[in-house]
Protein backbone atom coordinates (compact mmCIF):
# COMPACT_ATOMS: atom_id res chain seq x y z
CA UNK A 1 0.00 0.00 0.00
CA UNK A 2 1.30 3.51 -0.73
CA UNK A 3 3.09 5.37 2.01
CA UNK A 4 2.49 9.10 2.57
CA UNK A 5 5.65 10.98 3.54
CA UNK A 6 7.03 7.92 5.32
CA UNK A 7 3.75 7.24 7.12
CA UNK A 8 2.07 3.91 6.30
CA UNK A 9 -1.71 3.44 6.07
CA UNK A 10 -3.37 2.74 9.39
CA UNK A 11 -6.59 2.40 11.30
CA UNK A 12 -6.41 4.96 14.08
CA UNK A 13 -8.83 3.86 16.81
CA UNK A 14 -9.52 6.46 19.51
CA UNK A 15 -11.15 5.17 22.70
CA UNK A 16 -12.80 8.23 24.20
CA UNK A 17 -13.39 9.70 20.73
CA UNK A 18 -15.84 12.33 21.99
CA UNK A 19 -13.70 13.39 24.98
CA UNK A 20 -11.83 16.61 25.58
CA UNK A 21 -8.43 15.27 24.50
CA UNK A 22 -9.72 13.73 21.27
CA UNK A 23 -11.65 16.82 20.29
CA UNK A 24 -9.16 19.47 21.38
CA UNK A 25 -5.86 17.80 20.47
CA UNK A 26 -5.95 14.45 18.64
CA UNK A 27 -8.42 15.16 15.84
CA UNK A 28 -7.02 18.65 15.09
CA UNK A 29 -3.51 17.13 14.96
CA UNK A 30 -4.66 14.36 12.61
CA UNK A 31 -6.46 16.92 10.45
CA UNK A 32 -3.27 18.98 10.15
CA UNK A 33 -1.24 15.90 9.23
CA UNK A 34 -3.87 15.10 6.61
CA UNK A 35 -3.55 18.63 5.30
CA UNK A 36 0.22 18.16 4.93
CA UNK A 37 -0.28 14.88 3.05
CA UNK A 38 0.80 12.53 5.81
CA UNK A 39 -2.33 10.35 5.86
CA UNK A 40 -2.76 7.83 3.05
CA UNK A 41 -6.08 7.62 1.20
CA UNK A 42 -7.02 4.41 3.03
CA UNK A 43 -6.17 5.66 6.55
CA UNK A 44 -9.27 5.69 8.75
CA UNK A 45 -9.99 7.25 12.12
CA UNK A 46 -12.36 5.20 14.23
CA UNK A 47 -13.81 6.95 17.27
CA UNK A 48 -15.10 4.66 20.00
CA UNK A 49 -17.18 6.19 22.77
CA UNK A 50 -20.30 5.79 24.79
CA UNK A 51 -22.29 8.61 23.29
CA UNK A 52 -25.67 8.57 21.70
CA UNK A 53 -24.35 9.64 18.31
CA UNK A 54 -24.41 8.06 14.89
CA UNK A 55 -21.68 8.48 12.28
CA UNK A 56 -23.16 11.53 10.50
CA UNK A 57 -23.79 13.10 13.92
CA UNK A 58 -20.16 12.50 14.92
CA UNK A 59 -18.82 13.96 11.68
CA UNK A 60 -21.01 16.98 12.15
CA UNK A 61 -19.74 17.44 15.70
CA UNK A 62 -16.09 17.12 14.64
CA UNK A 63 -16.55 19.57 11.79
CA UNK A 64 -17.73 22.15 14.34
CA UNK A 65 -14.90 21.31 16.76
CA UNK A 66 -12.24 21.67 14.05
CA UNK A 67 -13.59 25.18 13.59
CA UNK A 68 -12.85 25.85 17.25
CA UNK A 69 -9.48 24.17 17.59
CA UNK A 70 -7.74 24.66 14.24
CA UNK A 71 -6.63 28.13 13.15
CA UNK A 72 -8.97 29.48 10.47
CA UNK A 73 -6.17 29.94 7.92
CA UNK A 74 -5.35 26.22 8.17
CA UNK A 75 -8.90 25.05 7.53
CA UNK A 76 -9.69 24.42 3.90
CA UNK A 77 -12.92 22.93 2.65
CA UNK A 78 -11.39 20.16 0.51
CA UNK A 79 -9.18 18.83 3.29
CA UNK A 80 -11.98 19.08 5.86
CA UNK A 81 -14.28 16.99 3.63
CA UNK A 82 -11.54 14.40 3.02
CA UNK A 83 -10.80 14.26 6.74
CA UNK A 84 -14.44 13.90 7.78
CA UNK A 85 -14.86 11.06 5.29
CA UNK A 86 -12.15 9.11 7.18
CA UNK A 87 -14.14 9.20 10.41
CA UNK A 88 -16.06 6.19 11.67
CA UNK A 89 -18.01 6.16 14.91
CA UNK A 90 -18.64 3.13 17.12
CA UNK A 91 -20.87 3.61 20.14
CA UNK A 92 -20.12 1.07 22.88
CA UNK A 93 -19.82 0.83 26.64
CA UNK A 94 -16.05 0.63 27.09
CA UNK A 95 -16.47 -1.48 30.23
CA UNK A 96 -18.61 -4.11 28.49
CA UNK A 97 -16.39 -6.76 26.82
CA UNK A 98 -19.14 -8.10 24.56
CA UNK A 99 -19.65 -4.64 23.01
CA UNK A 100 -16.19 -4.84 21.42
CA UNK A 101 -17.57 -7.06 18.66
CA UNK A 102 -18.73 -3.79 17.08
CA UNK A 103 -15.10 -2.60 16.95
CA UNK A 104 -14.12 -5.90 15.34
CA UNK A 105 -16.74 -5.40 12.63
CA UNK A 106 -15.41 -1.97 11.70
CA UNK A 107 -11.78 -3.11 11.70
CA UNK A 108 -12.62 -6.15 9.58
CA UNK A 109 -13.83 -3.87 6.80
CA UNK A 110 -10.26 -2.78 5.96
CA UNK A 111 -7.13 -4.57 4.79
CA UNK A 112 -4.87 -2.07 6.49
CA UNK A 113 -2.16 -3.73 8.55
CA UNK A 114 -1.29 -1.14 11.22
CA UNK A 115 -3.78 -0.57 14.03
CA UNK A 116 -3.22 2.21 16.51
CA UNK A 117 -5.36 1.91 19.63
CA UNK A 118 -5.28 5.30 21.35
CA UNK A 119 -6.62 5.18 24.91
CA UNK A 120 -7.79 8.75 25.45
CA UNK A 121 -9.84 7.82 28.48
CA UNK A 122 -9.55 7.19 32.20
CA UNK A 123 -6.50 5.07 33.15
CA UNK A 124 -8.90 2.84 35.08
CA UNK A 125 -10.05 1.62 31.65
CA UNK A 126 -6.60 0.91 30.21
CA UNK A 127 -6.50 -2.67 31.54
CA UNK A 128 -10.12 -3.58 30.67
CA UNK A 129 -9.84 -2.13 27.13
CA UNK A 130 -6.59 -3.99 26.39
CA UNK A 131 -8.07 -7.17 27.79
CA UNK A 132 -11.15 -6.83 25.57
CA UNK A 133 -8.99 -6.10 22.51
CA UNK A 134 -6.93 -9.21 23.24
CA UNK A 135 -10.01 -11.40 23.68
CA UNK A 136 -11.48 -10.14 20.40
CA UNK A 137 -8.22 -11.09 18.65
CA UNK A 138 -7.76 -7.49 17.47
CA UNK A 139 -4.12 -7.14 18.51
CA UNK A 140 -1.87 -8.07 15.60
CA UNK A 141 1.94 -7.93 15.42
CA UNK A 142 1.76 -4.48 13.84
CA UNK A 143 -0.74 -3.05 16.33
CA UNK A 144 0.30 -0.39 18.82
CA UNK A 145 -1.40 1.01 21.88
CA UNK A 146 -1.01 4.61 23.06
CA UNK A 147 -1.48 5.41 26.74
CA UNK A 148 -2.21 8.94 27.85
CA UNK A 149 -0.91 10.09 31.18
CA UNK A 150 -1.51 9.79 34.07
CA UNK A 151 -0.15 6.26 34.17
CA UNK A 152 -1.42 5.49 37.66
CA UNK A 153 -1.56 7.69 40.73
CA UNK A 154 1.40 6.06 42.49
CA UNK A 155 4.03 3.40 41.83
CA UNK A 156 1.81 0.41 42.63
CA UNK A 157 -1.05 1.58 40.41
CA UNK A 158 1.39 2.43 37.59
CA UNK A 159 2.81 -1.10 37.83
CA UNK A 160 -0.68 -2.58 37.81
CA UNK A 161 -1.55 -0.66 34.62
CA UNK A 162 1.74 -1.60 33.00
CA UNK A 163 1.15 -5.27 33.89
CA UNK A 164 -2.41 -5.25 32.54
CA UNK A 165 -1.40 -3.56 29.26
CA UNK A 166 1.75 -5.70 29.06
CA UNK A 167 -0.33 -8.87 29.25
CA UNK A 168 -1.74 -8.03 25.80
CA UNK A 169 0.88 -5.84 24.09
CA UNK A 170 4.67 -6.28 23.91
CA UNK A 171 6.64 -3.38 25.44
CA UNK A 172 7.73 -2.36 21.91
CA UNK A 173 4.07 -1.90 20.97
CA UNK A 174 3.26 0.35 23.95
CA UNK A 175 3.57 4.10 23.41
CA UNK A 176 3.25 6.06 26.68
CA UNK A 177 2.76 9.60 25.52
CA UNK A 178 4.12 12.69 27.25
CA UNK A 179 3.22 15.49 24.88
CA UNK A 180 6.01 17.69 26.27
CA UNK A 181 8.47 15.45 24.42
CA UNK A 182 6.76 16.33 21.17
CA UNK A 183 7.16 20.09 21.61
CA UNK A 184 9.58 21.42 19.02
CA UNK A 185 11.62 23.35 21.55
CA UNK A 186 11.95 20.30 23.80
CA UNK A 187 13.24 18.21 20.90
CA UNK A 188 15.52 21.06 19.97
CA UNK A 189 17.10 20.77 23.38
CA UNK A 190 18.68 17.51 22.23
CA UNK A 191 19.89 19.11 19.00
CA UNK A 192 21.24 22.19 20.79
CA UNK A 193 23.14 20.04 23.25
CA UNK A 194 24.37 17.30 20.95
CA UNK A 195 24.76 18.88 17.52
CA UNK A 196 26.88 21.79 18.78
CA UNK A 197 30.20 21.75 20.57
CA UNK A 198 29.81 25.08 22.30
CA UNK A 199 27.75 24.11 25.32
CA UNK A 200 28.89 20.63 26.20
CA UNK A 201 32.20 21.59 27.92
CA UNK A 202 30.23 23.98 30.17
CA UNK A 203 27.29 21.64 30.79
CA UNK A 204 28.23 20.39 34.24
CA UNK A 205 28.63 21.33 37.88
CA UNK A 206 31.94 23.12 37.27
CA UNK A 207 30.21 25.85 35.26
CA UNK A 208 26.49 25.62 35.96
CA UNK A 209 25.19 27.11 39.19
CA UNK A 210 21.64 25.80 39.00
CA UNK A 211 18.77 25.01 36.63
CA UNK A 212 15.16 26.23 36.81
CA UNK A 213 12.27 24.58 35.00
CA UNK A 214 8.97 26.44 35.09
CA UNK A 215 5.65 25.48 33.52
CA UNK A 216 3.18 28.23 34.40
CA UNK A 217 -0.42 28.24 33.22
CA UNK A 218 -2.85 31.13 33.46
CA UNK A 219 -5.89 28.88 33.11
CA UNK A 220 -7.56 27.21 36.05
CA UNK A 221 -8.78 23.63 36.05
CA UNK A 222 -11.82 24.48 33.93
CA UNK A 223 -14.16 21.54 33.51
CA UNK A 224 -11.54 19.00 34.62
CA UNK A 225 -12.06 19.60 38.34
CA UNK A 226 -13.23 16.08 38.97
CA UNK A 227 -10.04 14.52 37.56
CA UNK A 228 -7.76 17.23 38.88
CA UNK A 229 -9.00 17.14 42.44
CA UNK A 230 -7.82 13.53 42.74
CA UNK A 231 -4.57 14.36 41.02
CA UNK A 232 -2.97 17.73 41.80
CA UNK A 233 0.00 19.50 40.27
CA UNK A 234 2.61 16.94 41.26
CA UNK A 235 0.82 14.00 39.66
CA UNK A 236 -0.59 15.99 36.74
CA UNK A 237 2.56 17.85 35.66
CA UNK A 238 5.69 17.39 37.74
CA UNK A 239 5.95 13.60 37.85
CA UNK A 240 5.79 13.46 34.06
CA UNK A 241 6.25 16.65 32.00
CA UNK A 242 8.74 18.45 34.23
CA UNK A 243 10.78 15.33 35.00
CA UNK A 244 10.95 14.47 31.31
CA UNK A 245 12.26 17.95 30.51
CA UNK A 246 14.74 17.64 33.37
CA UNK A 247 15.95 14.36 31.83
CA UNK A 248 16.68 16.00 28.49
CA UNK A 249 18.59 18.82 30.19
CA UNK A 250 20.61 16.45 32.36
CA UNK A 251 21.12 13.25 30.35
CA UNK A 252 24.50 12.11 29.08
CA UNK A 253 25.05 12.10 25.30
CA UNK A 254 24.03 8.68 24.00
CA UNK A 255 26.50 7.07 21.58
CA UNK A 256 23.91 7.59 18.85
CA UNK A 257 20.27 8.64 18.86
CA UNK A 258 17.79 5.85 18.60
CA UNK A 259 14.66 4.49 20.24
CA UNK A 260 16.42 2.85 23.17
CA UNK A 261 19.62 4.83 23.71
CA UNK A 262 17.85 8.10 24.45
CA UNK A 263 15.47 6.37 26.83
CA UNK A 264 18.34 4.50 28.49
CA UNK A 265 20.07 7.81 29.24
CA UNK A 266 16.86 9.43 30.53
CA UNK A 267 16.31 6.46 32.80
CA UNK A 268 19.78 6.90 34.31
CA UNK A 269 18.90 10.48 35.22
CA UNK A 270 15.64 9.44 36.89
CA UNK A 271 17.46 6.74 38.81
CA UNK A 272 20.10 9.25 39.93
CA UNK A 273 17.55 11.71 41.37
CA UNK A 274 18.45 12.12 45.01
CA UNK A 275 15.70 10.50 47.11
CA UNK A 276 14.06 13.10 49.33
CA UNK A 277 13.84 12.31 53.05
CA UNK A 278 10.88 13.50 55.15
CA UNK A 279 13.06 16.41 56.31
CA UNK A 280 14.03 17.31 52.72
CA UNK A 281 10.39 17.20 51.65
CA UNK A 282 9.37 19.54 54.43
CA UNK A 283 12.12 22.00 53.49
CA UNK A 284 12.47 21.58 49.73
CA UNK A 285 8.90 21.30 48.48
CA UNK A 286 6.25 24.00 48.31
CA UNK A 287 2.56 23.53 47.61
CA UNK A 288 -0.10 26.10 46.84
CA UNK A 289 -3.72 26.33 45.82
CA UNK A 290 -5.22 29.26 43.95
CA UNK A 291 -7.81 31.42 45.60
CA UNK A 292 -9.95 34.03 43.86
CA UNK A 293 -8.15 36.73 41.90
CA UNK A 294 -7.60 38.37 38.55
CA UNK A 295 -6.43 36.15 35.71
CA UNK A 296 -6.14 37.05 32.03
CA UNK A 297 -7.87 40.34 32.83
CA UNK A 298 -10.97 38.78 34.40
CA UNK A 299 -12.10 38.18 37.96
CA UNK A 300 -11.96 34.45 38.61
CA UNK A 301 -13.04 32.22 41.46
CA UNK A 302 -11.03 29.97 43.75
CA UNK A 303 -9.91 26.47 42.88
CA UNK A 304 -12.30 25.02 45.45
CA UNK A 305 -15.17 26.59 43.55
CA UNK A 306 -13.86 25.27 40.21
CA UNK A 307 -13.41 21.79 41.66
CA UNK A 308 -16.75 22.00 43.46
CA UNK A 309 -15.05 20.79 46.61
CA UNK A 310 -15.10 23.42 49.39
CA UNK A 311 -12.65 21.41 51.54
CA UNK A 312 -10.19 20.43 48.83
CA UNK A 313 -6.54 20.31 49.85
CA UNK A 314 -5.33 19.47 46.33
CA UNK A 315 -2.29 21.48 45.25
CA UNK A 316 -2.60 23.56 42.08
CA UNK A 317 1.01 24.72 42.47
CA UNK A 318 4.11 22.79 43.35
CA UNK A 319 7.78 23.72 43.55
CA UNK A 320 10.54 21.25 44.35
CA UNK A 321 14.29 21.50 44.72
CA UNK A 322 15.68 18.34 43.14
CA UNK A 323 19.25 17.12 42.90
CA UNK A 324 20.93 14.57 40.69
CA UNK A 325 23.48 12.31 42.30
CA UNK A 326 25.99 11.79 39.53
CA UNK A 327 29.39 13.22 38.60
CA UNK A 328 28.08 15.75 36.11
CA UNK A 329 25.44 17.28 38.37
CA UNK A 330 26.42 16.69 42.01
CA UNK A 331 25.66 19.87 43.96
CA UNK A 332 23.65 21.58 41.18
CA UNK A 333 20.05 22.18 42.28
CA UNK A 334 17.25 21.77 39.76
CA UNK A 335 14.34 23.97 40.88
CA UNK A 336 11.10 22.74 39.35
CA UNK A 337 7.76 24.51 39.59
CA UNK A 338 4.40 24.42 37.94
CA UNK A 339 1.05 25.96 38.71
CA UNK A 340 -2.37 26.85 37.43
CA UNK A 341 -3.84 30.36 37.48
CA UNK A 342 -0.40 31.95 37.50
CA UNK A 343 0.29 35.46 36.25
CA UNK A 344 0.77 34.31 32.64
CA UNK A 345 1.23 31.21 30.54
CA UNK A 346 4.85 30.44 29.95
CA UNK A 347 7.23 27.52 30.13
CA UNK A 348 10.95 27.89 30.28
CA UNK A 349 14.18 26.24 31.20
CA UNK A 350 16.80 28.53 32.71
CA UNK A 351 20.35 27.28 32.94
CA UNK A 352 22.23 29.71 35.12
CA UNK A 353 26.01 29.68 34.92
CA UNK A 354 28.35 30.44 37.80
CA UNK A 355 29.34 34.06 38.38
CA UNK A 356 32.69 35.30 37.09
CA UNK A 357 35.46 34.29 39.54
CA UNK A 358 36.66 37.86 40.05
CA UNK A 359 34.89 41.19 39.45
CA UNK A 360 37.10 42.92 36.86
CA UNK A 361 35.43 46.30 36.65
CA UNK A 362 35.19 47.53 40.24
CA UNK A 363 34.46 51.20 39.45
CA UNK A 364 31.88 50.43 36.81
CA UNK A 365 28.26 51.40 36.82
CA UNK A 366 26.08 48.23 36.95
CA UNK A 367 27.03 44.76 38.03
CA UNK A 368 27.82 41.75 35.92
CA UNK A 369 24.86 39.37 36.03
CA UNK A 370 25.57 35.65 35.79
CA UNK A 371 25.17 34.26 32.26
CA UNK A 372 21.95 32.41 31.62
CA UNK A 373 20.72 30.25 28.81
CA UNK A 374 16.94 30.65 28.70
CA UNK A 375 15.05 28.15 26.62
CA UNK A 376 11.47 29.27 26.22
CA UNK A 377 9.10 26.43 25.32
CA UNK A 378 5.94 28.54 25.15
CA UNK A 379 4.23 30.76 24.26
CA UNK A 380 7.20 31.62 22.00
CA UNK A 381 9.78 29.05 21.04
CA UNK A 382 12.94 30.91 21.71
CA UNK A 383 16.45 30.56 23.03
CA UNK A 384 18.25 33.46 24.66
CA UNK A 385 21.78 33.65 25.92
CA UNK A 386 21.95 36.38 28.55
CA UNK A 387 25.32 38.09 28.66
CA UNK A 388 26.75 41.20 30.24
CA UNK A 389 27.92 43.90 27.80
CA UNK A 390 29.41 47.36 27.94
CA UNK A 391 26.87 50.03 27.19
CA UNK A 392 28.28 52.13 24.32
CA UNK A 393 29.55 55.58 25.27
CA UNK A 394 32.60 57.39 26.61
CA UNK A 395 33.53 58.04 30.21
CA UNK A 396 33.99 54.76 31.99
CA UNK A 397 32.38 51.35 31.88
CA UNK A 398 28.67 50.87 32.23
CA UNK A 399 27.68 47.20 32.28
CA UNK A 400 24.25 46.12 31.11
CA UNK A 401 22.57 42.72 30.58
CA UNK A 402 21.93 41.90 26.91
CA UNK A 403 20.49 38.87 25.13
CA UNK A 404 21.52 36.93 22.06
CA UNK A 405 18.14 35.66 20.95
CA UNK A 406 16.98 33.00 18.53
CA UNK A 407 13.26 32.91 17.82
CA UNK A 408 12.39 29.74 15.90
CA UNK A 409 9.35 31.08 14.08
CA UNK A 410 11.32 34.05 12.80
CA UNK A 411 14.44 32.03 12.01
CA UNK A 412 12.65 29.26 10.13
CA UNK A 413 9.61 31.18 8.85
CA UNK A 414 7.27 28.29 9.24
CA UNK A 415 4.46 27.06 11.43
CA UNK A 416 5.65 25.08 14.41
CA UNK A 417 3.55 21.91 14.54
CA UNK A 418 1.69 21.00 17.69
CA UNK A 419 3.38 18.28 19.79
CA UNK A 420 0.62 15.78 18.99
CA UNK A 421 1.18 16.11 15.24
CA UNK A 422 4.70 14.79 15.57
CA UNK A 423 3.95 12.17 18.19
CA UNK A 424 0.90 10.65 16.46
CA UNK A 425 2.89 10.13 13.29
CA UNK A 426 5.75 8.59 15.29
CA UNK A 427 3.27 6.04 16.63
CA UNK A 428 2.23 5.07 13.11
CA UNK A 429 5.88 4.94 12.06
CA UNK A 430 6.57 2.70 15.07
CA UNK A 431 9.20 5.04 16.51
CA UNK A 432 9.00 5.14 20.33
CA UNK A 433 12.06 7.39 20.93
CA UNK A 434 9.91 10.26 22.22
CA UNK A 435 7.65 8.06 24.37
CA UNK A 436 8.17 6.92 27.93
CA UNK A 437 9.30 3.39 28.55
CA UNK A 438 7.84 1.39 31.42
CA UNK A 439 11.03 1.63 33.51
CA UNK A 440 11.10 5.43 33.12
CA UNK A 441 7.52 5.86 34.32
CA UNK A 442 8.16 3.63 37.28
CA UNK A 443 11.46 5.35 38.17
CA UNK A 444 9.68 8.73 38.07
CA UNK A 445 7.01 7.41 40.44
CA UNK A 446 9.61 5.87 42.73
CA UNK A 447 11.09 9.36 43.22
CA UNK A 448 7.80 11.29 43.40
CA UNK A 449 5.71 8.97 45.54
CA UNK A 450 7.51 9.62 48.87
CA UNK A 451 6.72 13.33 48.42
CA UNK A 452 3.00 12.61 48.11
CA UNK A 453 3.17 10.22 51.05
CA UNK A 454 4.95 12.69 53.30
CA UNK A 455 2.47 15.45 52.43
CA UNK A 456 -0.37 13.14 53.31
CA UNK A 457 1.16 11.80 56.52
CA UNK A 458 2.07 15.25 57.77
CA UNK A 459 -1.37 16.64 56.87
CA UNK A 460 0.25 19.40 54.83
CA UNK A 461 -2.23 21.95 53.47
CA UNK A 462 -1.32 23.96 50.37
CA UNK A 463 -0.80 27.71 50.87
CA UNK A 464 -3.44 29.85 49.19
CA UNK A 465 -2.20 32.22 46.48
CA UNK A 466 -4.36 34.72 44.63
CA UNK A 467 -5.19 33.65 41.08
CA UNK A 468 -3.08 35.63 38.59
CA UNK A 469 0.09 35.66 40.72
CA UNK A 470 3.27 33.59 40.70
CA UNK A 471 2.25 31.14 43.39
CA UNK A 472 2.79 31.24 47.15
CA UNK A 473 5.63 33.35 48.57
CA UNK A 474 7.22 30.17 49.95
CA UNK A 475 8.27 29.41 46.37
CA UNK A 476 10.49 32.51 46.40
CA UNK A 477 11.81 31.58 49.83
CA UNK A 478 12.84 28.17 48.50
CA UNK A 479 15.43 29.89 46.29
CA UNK A 480 16.21 32.86 48.53
CA UNK A 481 17.39 30.46 51.20
CA UNK A 482 20.06 29.31 48.74
CA UNK A 483 20.91 32.91 47.77
CA UNK A 484 19.08 32.59 44.43
CA UNK A 485 15.97 33.99 42.73
CA UNK A 486 13.49 32.77 40.14
CA UNK A 487 14.39 34.08 36.74
CA UNK A 488 11.55 36.62 36.44
CA UNK A 489 12.36 37.95 39.89
CA UNK A 490 15.99 38.38 38.85
CA UNK A 491 15.34 40.18 35.58
C1 LIG B 1 -1.61 18.19 30.58
C2 LIG B 1 -2.17 18.43 31.96
O1 LIG B 1 -0.85 17.03 30.57
O2 LIG B 1 -0.78 19.31 30.22
C3 LIG B 1 -2.96 19.73 32.00
O3 LIG B 1 -3.02 17.34 32.31
C4 LIG B 1 -2.11 20.88 31.50
O4 LIG B 1 -3.43 20.01 33.32
C5 LIG B 1 -1.47 20.54 30.16
O5 LIG B 1 -2.95 22.00 31.36
C6 LIG B 1 -0.46 21.61 29.77
O6 LIG B 1 -0.02 21.38 28.47
P1 LIG B 1 0.54 22.58 27.57
O7 LIG B 1 1.04 21.90 26.34
O8 LIG B 1 -0.62 23.48 27.32
O9 LIG B 1 1.60 23.25 28.39
Amino acid sequence: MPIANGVAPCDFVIFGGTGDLAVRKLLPALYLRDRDGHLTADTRIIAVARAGLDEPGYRHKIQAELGRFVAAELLDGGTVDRFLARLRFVSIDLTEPSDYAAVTDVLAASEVDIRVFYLACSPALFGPICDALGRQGLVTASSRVVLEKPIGHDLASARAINDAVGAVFEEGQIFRIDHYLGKESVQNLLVTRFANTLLEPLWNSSWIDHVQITVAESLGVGTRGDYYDKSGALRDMLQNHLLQVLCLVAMEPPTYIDRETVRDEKLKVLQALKPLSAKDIKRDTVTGQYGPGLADGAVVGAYRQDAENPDSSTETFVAVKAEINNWRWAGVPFYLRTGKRMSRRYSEIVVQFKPVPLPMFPGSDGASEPNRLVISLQPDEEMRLELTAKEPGPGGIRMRPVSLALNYTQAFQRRSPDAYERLLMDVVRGDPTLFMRRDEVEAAWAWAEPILRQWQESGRQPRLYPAGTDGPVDASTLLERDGRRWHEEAS
Side-chain angles (χ1 to χ4, degrees), residues 21 24-25 148-150 177-180 183 215-217 219-221 224 227-228 231-233 235-237 240-241 338-340 345-347 377-378 418-420:
L21 178 74
R24 211 164 34 88
K25 290 288 184 188
E148 259 297 330
K149 61 155 266 284
I177 201 161
D178 183 311
H179 76 278
Y180 265 64
K183 289 187 189 277
V215 177
E217 298 183 85
L219 291 177
V221 293
R224 297 166 72 230
Y227 149 75
Y228 195 88
S231 170
R235 288 189 174 97
D236 185 51
M237 298 290 290
N240 34 77
H241 302 325
T338 180
K340 299 223 179 264
R345 175 178 184 256
Y346 74 103
S347 300
L377 313 181
Q378 53 199 30
D418 182 76
Y420 278 97

Side-chain angles (χ1 to χ4, degrees), residues 259-272:
R259 56 184 59 198
E260 298 309 337
T261 53
V262 171
R263 303 197 293 175
D264 289 345
E265 293 305 335
K266 282 179 17 211
L267 176 66
K268 288 183 204 160
V269 174
L270 292 166
Q271 290 171 332

